[in-house]
Amino acid sequence: MNRLTESEKLTSPYVKQKRNPFFSSGFLILAGGCLALFLFLLFESESGDSSTSQPTASEASVQKSEKPKRKELIAYLQKHPEDEFAHFQLGELIQNRAPFQALENFSHVTERHPRYYEAVEAIAKIAQEQGLDDRATSALFILVREFPEERRYQKSMAELLFQQGRSNRALRYARRNIELGGEAADDYLLVAEILKQAGRTLEMTGPLKQALYQEPGLYDAHLNLAYAALYSGDLETATREAKWCLAEKPESTTALRYLAIINRNQGNIEKSISYIDQALSTDPEDLESLLLKADLLIYQRKGEQAYQLLKPLYANQQTDRRYISALARAAGLAGKREEALELQQLNQRLIKEEDLRPSSLQSESVQKRQAGRK
Amino acid sequence: MTSFLFNRSIRSVCLAALCGLYVLLLFSQNCSLCAEEKPSAISFEDVTNAAQINFQHRSPVTVKRHLHLMMGSGVGWVDFDRDGFPDLFCAQGEEWSTVKRKQSHPIDVALSNRLYWNRRNGQFQDVTAVSGLTVMNYSMGIAVGDYNHDGFDDLYVSAFGRNLLYCNQGDGTFSQVSSLAHVDDPGYGASCTWADINGDGLLDLYVVNYLEIDREHYPICSRRVDGARVYFICHPRYVPGQYDVVYLNLGNGSFLDVSQKAGLHSEPARQGLGVFAADYDQDGDIDLYIANDSVANQLWINNGQGVFTDQALVAGLAFNRSGDREAGMGLAGADYNGDGEVDLFVTNYFGETNTLYRNEGGLFFLDVTDETGLAAPSHARLGFGTSFLDVNNDGWEDLFVTNGHVHDRLSQLGKSEPYEQEPQLFLNQAGTRFMDISEQSGEFFKTKQVGRGCAVADFNQDGLVDLAVSHLNERLVLLENRSEQIHKSVALQLVGTTSNRSAIGAVVEVVSDSRKLIRLRKGSSSYLSADEAWITCGLGDCRSEVTVKVRWPGGKTENWSGLQPGGRYTLIEGTSVLPDQSQTQP
């Protein structure tokens, strides 16, 4: 599933050109280039030859045709740096090849200009693509505030905040997207995934069922439903969904792992081990499967085996607290008490590092109040 | 012809008998199947009104959501008149605005802690006023023990504010001796327990403190929600914790605060709520496990002299299996799997699991919550009080959890975390897994409440353990165990002579047929609560007499044999050579 499709379309420069014809001096050059491209493509299609080199040739042709216009716009802007529309045009022209420069050009378009919101939208798109999250967020925030009924902005904002791990805010926008009529399976799936990230697993079932109602064969929704059901203790649903996923993708280590967890939670430890061994035969380096296998061995009091399974991963996983904790448990059970203590202390240090990051648990406002004051 | 008829009638009779036998066999098989498939034989009935208990907890929320008003108060069983029937002590809360008013108003008993005398007929009588226990404060934890060795159980009550020690006068009244005894810690007290920490035969006190707040320095937390300021209780991780306190019993009616000397200040103060005292390293002294709210739990290991070091990290008890600290609230300890070791169960926050730590011996514990079936049922609950109790006397310790959130307005943040939640009962399946039998165990388990404390006692001496459950700003509930009595129990009261008189910290091994059952004499339990002093031990299929081995605090052991299922026995330290002196109460 590609949840960025819609926003990518929205920020496509070609779509905007159709909507907003230009009347600058460079337009004729661009139009000439396009005409040449059109004739070239027409000729090629008539000839029936569809060799793989064609797209490259056409791209080169477009690039070639853009070049004079770009030069012209740059020259023009050197003389008229205040011309917002020229900045906008140049931004549109170069955003695929020189996104950072385009970002700079779009930034020159001010609120007074009629193309301002298109520029903001382009900024949001480029910033998102280039990993400039703060820039993208502030751009999308402008759009969401100006067009509160525009679903696409709500959804983009939700996706962006979700990627940043800001689940609570992401959820607000994802839900607003649905309120505004977003009824596609991926709209609901987005809500479910944000809830998962927020640790609100129990609330995932509703949106997942909606997603599956819209698109019964949506694999990710089935897999997430298996997870949500497993978490809430509905092992029947969890089993059904995990098995559906496994039938669709027999190599799915996630589905195999879920089945292992289901069996573990039902007390079927041996069956659980057999599922996790299947997962590990598919992907011997899957950390989640290795951790689960170690967990099962630890439960069976096979501390040394668990330790041998986990220890080789230390170099790469020494900042993963779940790994460190599992290794500590294995070491403790295997009688390596000193090492177990060191690992637990390492876990403690990692927790302290985590605590330095801002947390949603913190109050926005803490006041010290005297008794009796209202 | 006659012979033919005779033979035929014999054949008919035989056939009928065979058919009958078959039907009987089928019936018995069906019954055994029914017995396996119907754990609904477990049943608890809310008998609060019938028992004439009318305790209503008072802790109304404020607009600014003062944190301590959400934490509730405990409940404790204390046989204050020594008639063998446990009486009920209910800790009371207090309105935020009461403090100013109470100086000018007479004390209203309804707003006080309450003592209910067990009338031995299933009913209780409020004796708060005559017993001298009337008080106006926000009481929290309860510890019951005979600290002055006069034979009568005394009461320690922690509070949001100064803690209280009530000395049982033996005549039905108590005198408040907190400041005289130097145990009136002014901190934010949570759970507390009596335990002989230095092995001198006297009960010392351990008081868990929660947060570094008082009425004069109170954090108020809020968020902007849809343009409006909404107040929530502050997250405890961002409010400084307060050091716990250890009071050493000097044997002359007074105590000495030895917290620092005992090593409690060797690491930063934490946000403690629960405590469970036991000899975790089996070296003959009492150690303490502390449940801390949203920070690492502590395991204070005693060097025998009352000096502690925290070994929770190496013991695997600081964090859960994922290496996460959890919001520890209540604690319960028991040998759930019959391997002779004390396992621990900690109640935690919504979205976390309650966590069961299996004792592997050698001071090492493993989180086995998922494997025992306890993880999923606790994800959508915020657990507080919890007790191990053998509800059907099958010899396996089952598990009760009372739940309820600390936030009452999460819906305003778009969260689906209910404030009121159903309590839960889990049946121990031969020490391997726990099965959630809440829905089949009575109406109480279908009712959403804001649960806090709970305490176990066989208040009607019918051989089945009952429960008292405290709720936040709601009425206390007395649950009578009306489960089908397939198995019998034996009830034991321990009396220390050289060790502390309440025998707190003693371990009982009940040996029956092929099983060895371990039971503990606890100083406190659950969240802010105290169980009955009598130990009721379910005997499973055992119908014959049992042997009891008592390991007294300090390590000395004694054996009693010939104890009958269904009997009640008082075992006095140093008297096992004369088993006929054991008092039998049919």
Side-chain angles (χ1 to χ4, degrees), chain A residues 200 295 301 321 360 369, chain B residues 64 223 321 323 360 379 414:
Chain A
R200 293 163 63 174
D295 240 15
R301 298 191 169 101
R321 292 203 297 103
S360 62
R369 287 295 168 101
Chain B
K64 296 195 172 167
R223 283 185 189 180
R321 73 166 69 202
E360 296 296 303
H379 279 139

Side-chain angles (χ1 to χ4, degrees), chain A residues 200 202 231 264-265 295 299 301 321 325 329 337 347 351 355 360 363-367 369-371, chain B residues 64 215-216 218-224 321 323-325 351 358 360 362 367 370 379-380 414 433:
Chain A
R200 293 163 63 174
L202 293 161
Y231 184 87
R264 179 192 68 179
N265 292 4
D295 240 15
Y299 180 72
R301 298 191 169 101
R321 292 203 297 103
S325 182
R329 298 167 81 220
R337 287 179 71 85
N347 180 47
I351 288 174
D355 282 348
S360 62
S363 169
E364 288 168 3
S365 155
V366 181
Q367 311 157 23
R369 287 295 168 101
Q370 299 294 303
Chain B
K64 296 195 172 167
R215 293 184 69 90
E216 305 303 319
Y218 210 107
I220 300 291
C221 297
S222 64
R223 283 185 189 180
R224 289 203 79 78
R321 73 166 69 202
D324 293 326
R325 60 242 150 120
R358 184 177 74 190
E360 296 296 303
D367 173 351
D370 294 85
H379 279 139
R433 290 176 55 72

Side-chain angles (χ1 to χ4, degrees), chain A residues 168 171-172 175 199-200 202-203 230-235 261 264-269 295-296 298-301 321-323 325-326 328-333 337-338 340-341 344-345 347-348 351 354-355 357-374, chain B residues 64 96-97 100 212-213 215-224 229 231 234-235 237-238 240 270 296 311 313-316 319-325 336-337 339 350-352 358-360 362-364 366-368 370-373 376-377 379-380 413-417 432-433:
Chain A
N168 288 340
L171 190 61
R172 205 185 310 160
R175 282 188 166 151
R200 293 163 63 174
L202 293 161
E203 298 169 55
L230 175 54
Y231 184 87
S232 65
D234 179 3
L235 298 185
I261 296 171
R264 179 192 68 179
N265 292 4
Q266 288 170 329
N268 306 323
I269 303 299
D295 240 15
L296 291 163
I298 289 168
Y299 180 72
Q300 292 183 315
R301 298 191 169 101
R321 292 203 297 103
R322 286 179 315 141
Y323 165 78
S325 182
R329 298 167 81 220
L333 195 59
R337 287 179 71 85
E338 287 291 315
L341 180 60
Q344 291 283 12
Q345 286 167 338
N347 180 47
Q348 214 171 19
I351 288 174
E354 278 177 20
D355 282 348
R357 296 179 209 145
S359 165
S360 62
L361 300 174
Q362 280 171 302
S363 169
E364 288 168 3
S365 155
V366 181
Q367 311 157 23
K368 292 268 182 184
R369 287 295 168 101
Q370 299 294 303
R373 263 193 222 164
K374 298 264 171 166
Chain B
K64 296 195 172 167
W96 177 255
S97 56
K100 282 186 173 179
E212 188 73 51
I213 59 173
R215 293 184 69 90
E216 305 303 319
H217 308 90
Y218 210 107
I220 300 291
C221 297
S222 64
R223 283 185 189 180
R224 289 203 79 78
R229 183 148 299 284
Y231 292 93
C234 296
H235 192 287
R237 194 181 295 156
Y238 303 104
R270 296 189 192 169
Q311 295 191 30
L313 277 180
V314 72
F319 307 113
N320 67 7
R321 73 166 69 202
S322 303
D324 293 326
R325 60 242 150 120
Y336 88 89
N337 56 352
D339 66 355
F350 195 98
E352 299 172 343
R358 184 177 74 190
N359 191 338
E360 296 296 303
L363 203 59
F364 187 71
L366 286 176
D367 173 351
V368 292
D370 294 85
E371 292 84 353
T372 49
H379 279 139
L413 292 181
K415 287 190 180 180
S416 309
E417 296 182 18
T432 54
R433 290 176 55 72

